[in-house]
Each structure stands twice: as structure tokens, then as C-alpha cells.
Amino acid sequence: MIKFLLAAFWFILFPSPTCQDCSACPLLIVKGDGEMKREYANPHPYAGMWVTADGFIRHELLANGRYDEARGNHKSAYQGRYMVTGNHIEYIDDTGFTADGDFIKGVLYHAGMVLYREVLMEGRNE
């Protein structure tokens, strides 16, 4: 209960920024060959896609402090905000449910699940 209150208090004090004042909004970068790539001005080191070994659960940690969780074919099964302190992550979804996890040696341990960073292949469009 204390974790929930602290997380709720944090999100009240520091709401997600809007596009007008967000330094982490995506920038489109055009490479010399005309390929467009999406990049963020100030991405968090843990921002990106995290997936279970079977690919069933997918957590996309967005650079703006939001997350989107997909489960199987259900895209956006859960959405909300996250906060990282050191190697610890706190989630609060848009319904108020909270959860947490830890990044240990490049692996995310969250709610009994083990998630690995998804590595995009060079040249693949996002």
C-alpha cells in the first residue's frame, strides 16, 4: 500500500509531459540513403522493447515515461507510466494498478516474469 501511495504521489507531482514541453519526444532523422529513423532526444538507458523469451509479453518503455504492454495478440493490454530509480522500475497503469521490477545484468525481472531487451536488426524499419 505504501508503494502505491508513493507511486501515486510521484505521478501527481510529476505528470507525463505534453508534446509541447517534452524533450524526449521523437525526432525523425533522415539518413543519407533517404531512410527515416525514429530517435528520441533524451532516451532513458532502459527505454525500448522488453520481451519474454517466448515473445508473449512485450513491454515497450517509452522515452517519455509511459509504457505499453502487449500480451499475445492483444496489443496495448496495459498502458501507464513508469519510473526508474537506479535499476528498479515502478509501474502504475492507467487504472491505478501498481507493480515493480528490477534490471539485473541486462535482464528485467518483473512480477515473476523475465524479460529481455529486444534487439532490432540493422536496416529494419521501426
Side-chain angles (χ1 to χ4, degrees):
M1 183 65 169
I2 291 174
K3 278 186 178 180
F4 171 77
L5 292 174
L6 289 174
F9 184 70
W10 185 84
F11 288 117
I12 289 168
L13 285 179
F14 305 104
S16 288
T18 62
C19 288
Q20 290 79 19
D21 65 1
C22 177
S23 63
C25 286
L27 304 171
L28 286 177
I29 307 298
V30 180
K31 293 182 176 180
D33 60 1
E35 178 187 351
M36 295 183 85
K37 183 177 179 186
R38 182 177 41 173
E39 292 186 0
Y40 290 92
N42 295 311
H44 188 280
Y46 294 127
M49 185 68 76
W50 295 82
V51 299
T52 54
D54 62 4
F56 187 78
I57 308 277
R58 296 174 305 285
H59 285 195
E60 184 174 11
L61 302 180
L62 303 169
N64 64 0
R66 299 273 306 161
Y67 76 90
D68 190 302
E69 179 178 326
R71 290 180 173 242
N73 292 329
H74 189 187
K75 186 174 180 166
S76 300
Y78 300 97
Q79 294 177 313
R81 301 178 193 181
Y82 72 92
M83 170 179 59
V84 175
T85 306
N87 292 324
H88 186 76
I89 185 168
E90 297 278 340
Y91 295 89
I92 183 167
D93 78 12
D94 291 340
T95 68
F97 179 78
T98 62
D100 66 348
D102 293 292
F103 295 93
I104 302 171
K105 296 183 180 179
V107 177
L108 171 56
Y109 295 88
H110 162 69
M113 295 179 280
V114 179
L115 296 101
Y116 304 91
R117 184 182 290 277
E118 181 180 69
V119 179
L120 294 176
M121 297 171 63
E122 185 65 32
R124 180 178 141 192
N125 290 332
E126 293 184 46

